[in-house]
Amino acid sequence: MDSAVITLLFLAFAIVMFVMEKIPIVLTSMIVCIGLVLTRVLGPEEAFYGFVDTNVILFVAMFIVGGALFETGMANRIGGLVCKFAKTERQLIVAIMVITGMMSGFLSNTGSAAVLIPVVVGIASKTGYSRSRLLLPLALAAAMGGNLSLIGAPGNLIAQSALQDAGLSFGFFEFGYIGLPILICGIFFYSFIGYRFLPNETRTDENSTFSAEDDNFSYVPKWKQTLSLIILIMTILGMIFENQIGIPLYITGCVGAIFLVLFGVITEKQAYKAIDMQTIFLFGGTLALANALETTGAGNLIADTVIGLLGQNASPFALLIAVFLLAAILTNFMSNTAATALLVPISLSIATEMGADPRAVLMATVIGGSCAYATPIGMPANAMVLSPGGYRFIDYIKAGLPLMIVSTIIALVLLPILFPFYS
């Protein structure tokens, strides 16, 4: 059987299994990775190259740097401080979305949501507001905030890795050109209109991990909390000025992680615990599929099909809509990281076939892939608030679908201006 056909079969298998999640998505990605070796589509070195990719190293480093903020309680303090000034439910929704969105831009968006969920549950208990009115905005803000910077979400780095192979790259804050307006408009939307779509459920899962009590970090020395924040800020500054100082992002991240353990802010064991191995294996495994799509020509076959449906003379805007909506729809029925990993090589092939700017096509793919608002399975934060919020599937659709429409309108207005497909 032709290698391109085998690759397409593995792609179809991955999509179906990611959507159904009958087995863990990480296991699916590894089945694909190993399967490509067994069918001789890729050699072992090609298949496992993704696990030594510089972005995987960056993932590991930033998990540790962000994890230190969570382990010391500094992230909890930051979240509690902002929420403390809100006096009404709508002010609280805005405060929660602002702090979650900003934290998600520079830390793991999943980690940011994880540390703020118990804080918000505790606030709901103290104020008497329904937690179902507060937790969903938190999850949605985490998704939007991931596009404020290059390190905000795994999908951003997946696109960066593919772009670097083509000799191009995104700047540290370039995702924010689209992500920040979406976050701002999303917050305004829920402040004035969207809050009406939020459920007011009284039921919660008794077995939920999150209790109404805030985590107690009083045993953590204050110097550890302060130093964790200083090292995070210095790490981010090093990444922002990457070109000026001549040190790659992943090296800067590693320096920050090393300092945290070296200075005793966190222990070696806590550093290991902070690393999300699911993301590492998912990223490494799906990069094997991305490699196969490129080397076998399967990605070009998909691109040719899309171009054929659009027509050779399709307008840049029609191509933009097709790429964006494909990512936005797919991301709500599978992991947003997996959706981006699958679509990035296909998008690159489409860009090559149509002579479009790869940066513009990948930006549309990543922004569309981050619109995982309308289902509980689109991103981890959505699933994490399911039990403590007592949500049903329909609650995500009611609250998230309007935000998808708002985000799509903003993106389709800004992308052609800031990232035109044809210069």
Side-chain angles (χ1 to χ4, degrees), residues 29 55-56 117 133-134 180 209 215 248 264 351 357 366 414 420:
S29 70
N55 285 301
V56 169
I117 287 172
R133 304 275 295 171
L134 305 177
L180 183 58
T209 305
D215 288 335
D357 182 0
V366 171
L414 293 178

Side-chain angles (χ1 to χ4, degrees), residues 69-82:
L69 221 62
F70 302 138
E71 289 287 348
T72 61
M74 176 53 76
N76 201 308
R77 283 183 62 190
I78 294 171
L81 183 64
V82 174

Side-chain angles (χ1 to χ4, degrees), residues 2 121 131 320 354 412:
D2 184 69
V121 168
R131 62 172 71 174
L320 169 62
M354 297 194 74
L412 294 183

Side-chain angles (χ1 to χ4, degrees), residues 303-316 318-319 353-354 422:
D304 289 339
T305 303
V306 172
I307 294 169
L309 292 172
L310 291 173
Q312 286 291 342
N313 298 318
S315 69
L319 178 59
E353 289 291 320
M354 297 194 74
Y422 300 99

Side-chain angles (χ1 to χ4, degrees), residues 404-419:
M404 282 189 68
I405 295 171
V406 171
S407 298
T408 299
I409 292 171
I410 295 167
L412 294 183
V413 169
L414 293 178
L415 282 168
I417 299 171
L418 300 175
F419 297 92

Side-chain angles (χ1 to χ4, degrees), residues 51 55-68 70-71 108 110-111 253-254 257-258 261 266-282:
F51 290 96
N55 285 301
V56 169
I57 298 171
L58 178 59
F59 280 157
V60 171
M62 291 312 296
F63 278 136
I64 294 173
V65 174
F70 302 138
E71 289 287 348
S108 156
T110 302
C254 288
I258 289 170
V261 179
I266 56 173
T267 64
E268 181 185 3
K269 194 170 186 180
Q270 287 174 318
Y272 291 141
K273 179 184 171 186
I275 300 170
D276 184 353
M277 294 307 298
Q278 183 180 38
T279 298
I280 301 302
F281 277 98
L282 177 62

Side-chain angles (χ1 to χ4, degrees), residues 42-355:
L42 295 176
E45 289 186 4
E46 294 174 299
F48 289 97
Y49 178 76
F51 290 96
V52 293
D53 186 90
T54 56
N55 285 301
V56 169
I57 298 171
L58 178 59
F59 280 157
V60 171
M62 291 312 296
F63 278 136
I64 294 173
V65 174
L69 221 62
F70 302 138
E71 289 287 348
T72 61
M74 176 53 76
N76 201 308
R77 283 183 62 190
I78 294 171
L81 183 64
V82 174
C83 294
K84 180 179 166 184
F85 293 99
K87 303 299 181 186
T88 67
E89 183 186 70
R90 282 163 68 178
Q91 287 178 353
L92 198 54
I93 289 172
V94 171
I96 289 169
M97 294 188 78
V98 168
I99 187 59
T100 306
M102 297 306 294
M103 286 177 64
S104 297
F106 301 102
L107 304 173
S108 156
N109 51 7
T110 302
S112 298
V115 74
L116 289 175
I117 287 172
V119 175
V120 172
V121 168
I123 290 172
S125 177
K126 292 170 187 174
T127 60
Y129 295 125
S130 171
R131 62 172 71 174
S132 67
R133 304 275 295 171
L134 305 177
L135 287 173
L136 203 47
L138 181 151
L140 298 174
M144 292 186 287
N147 285 328
L148 293 184
S149 75
L150 181 62
I151 60 172
N156 304 3
L157 289 169
I158 291 171
Q160 177 78 332
S161 178
L163 201 57
Q164 286 172 342
D165 291 339
L168 301 169
S169 65
F170 288 115
F172 188 82
F173 283 117
E174 276 198 277
F175 287 101
Y177 296 169
I178 310 295
L180 183 58
I182 288 177
L183 176 61
I184 292 172
C185 291
I187 292 172
F188 272 106
F189 173 73
Y190 280 101
S191 177
F192 296 105
I193 300 173
Y195 72 92
R196 298 172 186 170
F197 302 121
L198 295 171
N200 191 19
E201 307 293 351
T202 56
R203 64 183 183 281
T204 55
D205 187 346
E206 295 299 326
N207 296 318
S208 171
T209 305
F210 304 100
S211 68
E213 297 299 320
D214 295 343
D215 288 335
N216 179 18
F217 291 98
S218 58
Y219 64 90
V220 180
K222 194 169 182 180
W223 69 266
K224 286 190 176 185
Q225 296 182 338
T226 304
L227 192 54
S228 69
L229 182 60
I230 291 172
I231 290 176
L232 171 67
I233 293 171
M234 296 303 295
T235 301
I236 291 172
L237 286 174
M239 292 178 173
I240 293 171
F241 296 105
E242 175 191 13
N243 294 330
Q244 286 81 355
I245 64 177
I247 300 176
L249 295 180
Y250 66 97
I251 296 297
T252 301
C254 288
V255 171
I258 289 170
F259 278 160
L260 285 165
V261 179
L262 196 61
F263 293 148
V265 177
I266 56 173
T267 64
E268 181 185 3
K269 194 170 186 180
Q270 287 174 318
Y272 291 141
K273 179 184 171 186
I275 300 170
D276 184 353
M277 294 307 298
Q278 183 180 38
T279 298
I280 301 302
F281 277 98
L282 177 62
F283 184 81
T286 50
L287 277 184
L289 181 57
N291 188 11
L293 285 168
E294 181 182 353
T295 57
T296 64
N300 289 332
L301 288 175
I302 296 172
D304 289 339
T305 303
V306 172
I307 294 169
L309 292 172
L310 291 173
Q312 286 291 342
N313 298 318
S315 69
F317 193 65
L319 178 59
L320 169 62
I321 292 174
V323 169
F324 185 90
L325 290 183
L326 178 62
I329 292 171
L330 191 59
T331 192
N332 279 282
F333 296 97
M334 57 194 290
S335 159
N336 60 332
T337 303
T340 304
L342 287 174
L343 290 175
V344 159
I346 296 172
S347 297
L348 270 181
S349 298
I350 292 174
T352 302
E353 289 291 320
M354 297 194 74

Side-chain angles (χ1 to χ4, degrees), residues 369-398:
S370 68
C371 294
Y373 311 141
T375 69
I377 58 176
M379 64 175 290
N382 294 10
M384 288 164 62
V385 300
L386 181 68
S387 295
Y391 298 122
R392 298 169 297 178
F393 195 94
I394 191 66
D395 294 328
Y396 289 85
I397 297 175
K398 288 179 179 177

